[in-house]
Amino acid sequence: MILTPSIHYTGVLNPNMRVFDIIMRTEYGTSYNSYAVLGSEKTALIEAAHLSFGDNYLENVQQALNGRSPDYLVLNHCEPDHTGAVARLLSAYPNLTILVSRAGALYMKGILNNPSAPIRVVNDGEEIDLGGKTLKFISAPFLHWPDSMFTYVKEEKALFTCDFLGSHYCEPEVWDTRIHYTDAYFNSVKLYYDCIFGPFPGYVQKGLEKMASLDVDFAFTSHGPILTRAGELQTILDLYRGYCAEKKPIQKQIPVFYCSAYGNTGLLAGAIKEGILSVLPQANVPLYNVIEHDMATLQGLLNQSDAFVLGSPTLNRDALAPMWLLLSGVDAINIPKRPAALFGSYGWSGEAIPALESRLKTLKVNLFEEGFRVVLVPSAEDLSSAFAFGARFAQSL
Ligand code: FEO
């Protein structure tokens, strides 16, 4: 598909995807965007595709190049949704050179397992002339992997941003001026930002600053609509500016997440909440029975908390599965040193608390005391102890 006379779309639409990377909801599908940049002398492909779409990707490349061979494959970031099909591409075009950042070279070696793979590291600011079209590589680390970079083609005012400014959203046409369900699109932009860039607000700011120094009419993303000056580009930039500058509420956020098979751990949750509020009456201490809420929302609340409390009964010598699911969405970059406390009712041996403790230690949170446990139904005395446990936790904050 021709986007501009020298930039063609080689990407693949996947409107049926509903879960990305095992954990991320994609209600509106996604696209694996990739591009061919055609210079008068040389050609470059930018991004590849997921392995499962290798055939479609190769067909699109052949069509875009119209008999020419690619000289370069630029990988702005090497996560397998963009690189799974690279081995296939190399088999078809063994003479192309893969251009990646220094960190990207390490990842591609691990992905291709081919010591003779033609990988070349490009540095921040380096340029490659394709003949009337210039690729300029701009380091953009942690947007969202250490290897991430942008590629700029000044002659087209085109910035290839990879995941940055993208979305898991798919419509039949890839331009932002052709979006039919704008509310759905903007919802997916926010979810994507939270999941992919939420842990890296400082790097997002730097990325936006780098973009501000460039003349950009097109942001060629690697997922979702292509952004244009005439379409949503400025809106998305403004949203990103707002997202990464979001201030935390002044009120302390101390959510209590729990599961409760027979209501006993739930009773403890309530008593611990009251204990926390007795010391910090202004704090926000919401109770969440995790099976009654959207897990991604709970994970976001945990990640934005000032401190948090987890409660689980014991089943099969372990914490309950929803608690592990909750912790699977923890922002491991920003969670270290966050104060956390554990509690739970149990019947036989109570392994849930030590199991969660072990996981939280791996995450390097500040664990408060030994987890608070009671056997089966909490007595009035147990509830009073749970209240005191919550109060001591609040005093420690
Ligand atoms: Fe779309 Fe981070 O890969």
Side-chain angles (χ1 to χ4, degrees), residues 77 79 81-82 144 163 223:
H77 154 53
E79 197 167 2
D81 55 320
H82 308 291
H144 65 120
D163 289 330
H223 299 289

PDB file of all heavy atoms in Angstrom, residues 77 79 81-82 144 163 223, ligand 1:
ATOM      1  N   HIS A  77      13.190  -1.333  17.486  1.00  0.00           N
ATOM      2  CA  HIS A  77      13.026  -2.018  18.780  1.00  0.00           C
ATOM      3  C   HIS A  77      12.829  -3.491  18.439  1.00  0.00           C
ATOM      4  O   HIS A  77      12.185  -3.823  17.446  1.00  0.00           O
ATOM      5  CB  HIS A  77      11.843  -1.386  19.493  1.00  0.00           C
ATOM      6  CG  HIS A  77      11.109  -2.237  20.480  1.00  0.00           C
ATOM      7  ND1 HIS A  77      11.719  -2.892  21.516  1.00  0.00           N
ATOM      8  CD2 HIS A  77       9.785  -2.493  20.612  1.00  0.00           C
ATOM      9  CE1 HIS A  77      10.807  -3.511  22.224  1.00  0.00           C
ATOM     10  NE2 HIS A  77       9.627  -3.308  21.697  1.00  0.00           N
ATOM     11  N   GLU A  79      11.499  -6.280  20.070  1.00  0.00           N
ATOM     12  CA  GLU A  79      10.542  -7.212  20.666  1.00  0.00           C
ATOM     13  C   GLU A  79       9.987  -8.108  19.548  1.00  0.00           C
ATOM     14  O   GLU A  79       9.808  -7.667  18.406  1.00  0.00           O
ATOM     15  CB  GLU A  79       9.414  -6.441  21.372  1.00  0.00           C
ATOM     16  CG  GLU A  79       8.638  -7.315  22.323  1.00  0.00           C
ATOM     17  CD  GLU A  79       7.733  -6.537  23.276  1.00  0.00           C
ATOM     18  OE1 GLU A  79       7.671  -5.297  23.188  1.00  0.00           O
ATOM     19  OE2 GLU A  79       7.075  -7.199  24.099  1.00  0.00           O
ATOM     20  N   ASP A  81       7.238  -9.121  18.464  1.00  0.00           N
ATOM     21  CA  ASP A  81       6.103  -8.763  17.602  1.00  0.00           C
ATOM     22  C   ASP A  81       6.567  -8.001  16.367  1.00  0.00           C
ATOM     23  O   ASP A  81       5.841  -7.916  15.380  1.00  0.00           O
ATOM     24  CB  ASP A  81       5.025  -7.978  18.358  1.00  0.00           C
ATOM     25  CG  ASP A  81       5.556  -6.740  19.046  1.00  0.00           C
ATOM     26  OD1 ASP A  81       6.653  -6.791  19.596  1.00  0.00           O
ATOM     27  OD2 ASP A  81       4.853  -5.710  19.034  1.00  0.00           O
ATOM     28  N   HIS A  82       7.787  -7.459  16.415  1.00  0.00           N
ATOM     29  CA  HIS A  82       8.343  -6.767  15.248  1.00  0.00           C
ATOM     30  C   HIS A  82       9.485  -7.539  14.602  1.00  0.00           C
ATOM     31  O   HIS A  82       9.955  -7.150  13.526  1.00  0.00           O
ATOM     32  CB  HIS A  82       8.869  -5.384  15.647  1.00  0.00           C
ATOM     33  CG  HIS A  82       7.867  -4.579  16.398  1.00  0.00           C
ATOM     34  ND1 HIS A  82       6.735  -4.074  15.817  1.00  0.00           N
ATOM     35  CD2 HIS A  82       7.793  -4.224  17.701  1.00  0.00           C
ATOM     36  CE1 HIS A  82       6.007  -3.437  16.723  1.00  0.00           C
ATOM     37  NE2 HIS A  82       6.626  -3.526  17.873  1.00  0.00           N
ATOM     38  N   HIS A 144       9.838   1.366  24.458  1.00  0.00           N
ATOM     39  CA  HIS A 144       9.744   1.075  25.869  1.00  0.00           C
ATOM     40  C   HIS A 144      10.765   0.032  26.317  1.00  0.00           C
ATOM     41  O   HIS A 144      10.715  -0.447  27.446  1.00  0.00           O
ATOM     42  CB  HIS A 144       8.330   0.567  26.209  1.00  0.00           C
ATOM     43  CG  HIS A 144       7.998  -0.760  25.551  1.00  0.00           C
ATOM     44  ND1 HIS A 144       7.682  -1.876  26.280  1.00  0.00           N
ATOM     45  CD2 HIS A 144       7.974  -1.138  24.265  1.00  0.00           C
ATOM     46  CE1 HIS A 144       7.433  -2.892  25.470  1.00  0.00           C
ATOM     47  NE2 HIS A 144       7.612  -2.474  24.246  1.00  0.00           N
ATOM     48  N   ASP A 163       6.895   1.633  18.930  1.00  0.00           N
ATOM     49  CA  ASP A 163       5.738   1.528  19.826  1.00  0.00           C
ATOM     50  C   ASP A 163       5.241   2.897  20.313  1.00  0.00           C
ATOM     51  O   ASP A 163       4.069   3.037  20.687  1.00  0.00           O
ATOM     52  CB  ASP A 163       6.086   0.665  21.047  1.00  0.00           C
ATOM     53  CG  ASP A 163       6.238  -0.802  20.687  1.00  0.00           C
ATOM     54  OD1 ASP A 163       5.579  -1.255  19.744  1.00  0.00           O
ATOM     55  OD2 ASP A 163       7.018  -1.490  21.362  1.00  0.00           O
ATOM     56  N   HIS A 223       2.096   0.168  15.820  1.00  0.00           N
ATOM     57  CA  HIS A 223       0.782  -0.447  16.090  1.00  0.00           C
ATOM     58  C   HIS A 223      -0.281   0.644  15.967  1.00  0.00           C
ATOM     59  O   HIS A 223      -0.071   1.771  16.436  1.00  0.00           O
ATOM     60  CB  HIS A 223       0.691  -1.001  17.512  1.00  0.00           C
ATOM     61  CG  HIS A 223       1.680  -2.067  17.835  1.00  0.00           C
ATOM     62  ND1 HIS A 223       1.618  -3.335  17.310  1.00  0.00           N
ATOM     63  CD2 HIS A 223       2.760  -2.060  18.653  1.00  0.00           C
ATOM     64  CE1 HIS A 223       2.608  -4.060  17.794  1.00  0.00           C
ATOM     65  NE2 HIS A 223       3.320  -3.308  18.610  1.00  0.00           N
TER      66      HIS A 223
HETATM   67 FE1  FEO B   1       5.331  -3.643  19.698  1.00  0.00          FE
HETATM   68 FE2  FEO B   1       7.360  -3.446  22.244  1.00  0.00          FE
HETATM   69  O1  FEO B   1       6.762  -4.207  20.707  1.00  0.00           O
END
